[in-house]
Amino acid sequence: MSKIDESLLTNLPPFRHLERAQIREILDLSSVRRYDEGTAVFTEGMEADRFYLLLDGYIRVIRTSPSGEHIIAMHIAAGQLFGIAPAIGRDTYPATATAAMETIALSWPVRLWHDFVANYEGFASETYKIVGQRMQNLHEQVLELATQAVEQRLASALLRMANQSGRKVENGIEIAFPVTRQNISDMTGTTLHTVSRLLSAWQKQGIVESTRRHIVVTRPHDLMLLSTSSAQ
DNA sequence: TCATTAAGTATGC
DNA sequence: GCATACTTAATGA
């Protein structure tokens, strides 16, 4: 079916312990799809019929509150599993996943989940490790939202993106997918205006450089300080 | 300290 | 030239 090379999976944590032949099996059971920027891979509440591995691009995970506003819970980088509802014992997706830029993902029918867990050494432990880490991150973010000022939350959000999905450039760390002021306000529970003002101020101080949908963190250390200490 | 309103400029198909 | 992204100032909770 898919003519994806085995080497693409061999170094990813959930597949690290597997033989080449096993990886071939897994790939033969998968289907590949490309998603244009802004396209939803699946939506919150939808029956979880497949689980996914991101091969290229970035996925934005969006949760919608009953009152209608949506918040960006996290970003997924290439090489990570997502839409793994079966891992947390759900049969619907807990959030919406959209392509933050042009993206390519593998997917498998959920009925294979238990086969993977049973047959492939390390798959279960690695995926549950991922789930645990994500849960912990979410808890930290909830705490942040409740306790920290906007400036600190924005600094943390920028650092999270730079650390998890940044690429090094000459003058700093560039966030590797397109991101708008509105997107960032959806991560930090503020408005795009406040984000715009803070980014402008930080740009004047030389901490970040930003153009439309594009941000480079030039002085991560200064952001670190901003994210922890409360000014005045 | 921050959201809201409002009114503007810049950018890219 | 229109939609989208971004900036800035004013006002008030």
Side-chain angles (χ1 to χ4, degrees):
Chain A
M1 273 240 134
S2 61
K3 44 191 191 295
I4 303 286
D5 195 87
E6 289 95 331
S7 64
L8 272 170
L9 298 198
T10 46
N11 289 316
L12 305 180
F15 308 105
R16 190 177 289 149
H17 303 100
L18 304 185
E19 307 286 331
R20 212 173 173 77
Q22 291 179 304
I23 290 182
R24 191 67 253 165
E25 281 172 27
I26 285 175
L27 283 172
D28 288 343
L29 292 168
S30 75
S31 40
V32 208
R33 242 202 85 179
R34 190 183 65 85
Y35 300 88
D36 287 326
E37 179 177 335
T39 313
V41 179
F42 52 79
T43 55
E44 183 171 347
M46 184 180 135
E47 191 195 345
D49 55 344
R50 306 186 73 83
F51 61 98
Y52 296 81
L53 174 72
L54 185 59
L55 283 186
D56 192 34
Y58 284 93
I59 292 291
R60 235 194 287 281
V61 178
I62 302 161
R63 289 227 45 187
T64 310
S65 74
S67 42
E69 68 257 53
H70 51 269
I71 62 143
I72 295 173
M74 66 178 104
H75 287 92
I76 308 280
Q80 296 188 9
L81 291 168
F82 67 103
I84 47 179
I88 51 174
R90 291 189 54 127
D91 53 10
T92 58
Y93 295 113
T96 297
T98 58
M101 57 187 288
E102 187 179 314
T103 282
I104 298 168
L106 291 180
S107 70
W108 299 268
V110 269
R111 62 180 164 77
L112 293 179
W113 179 266
H114 293 103
D115 296 346
F116 278 31
V117 166
N119 299 335
Y120 301 123
E121 196 215 325
F123 182 82
S125 59
E126 292 294 347
T127 54
Y128 291 122
K129 198 188 289 179
I130 293 167
V131 170
Q133 282 165 0
R134 287 183 188 167
M135 293 283 282
Q136 198 185 326
N137 265 326
L138 285 177
H139 281 118
E140 280 166 15
Q141 281 185 64
V142 170
L143 193 67
E144 249 176 41
L145 265 171
T147 62
Q148 298 196 317
V150 169
E151 187 179 55
Q152 299 167 280
R153 305 204 304 262
L154 179 57
S156 300
L158 288 178
L159 282 174
R160 249 195 311 278
M161 287 190 283
N163 288 334
Q164 290 167 14
S165 33
R167 87 166 70 96
K168 288 202 173 64
V169 291
E170 311 96 285
N171 48 350
I173 307 162
E174 172 188 64
I175 292 166
F177 50 87
V179 64
T180 65
R181 306 294 188 265
Q182 175 71 64
N183 290 151
I184 299 174
S185 66
D186 287 341
M187 290 171 225
T188 51
T190 181
T191 63
L192 73 123
H193 309 274
T194 300
V195 173
S196 177
R197 269 190 291 268
L198 282 170
L199 283 180
S200 304
W202 290 347
Q203 174 137 354
K204 278 177 193 135
Q205 296 168 44
I207 299 172
V208 300
E209 271 169 28
S210 71
T211 55
R212 144 184 291 236
R213 302 169 89 223
H214 186 91
I215 298 175
V216 177
V217 176
T218 44
R219 285 175 11 211
H221 185 70
D222 289 17
L223 268 190
M224 280 278 299
L225 295 179
L226 284 165
S227 72
T228 55
S229 77
S230 55
Q232 273 77 340

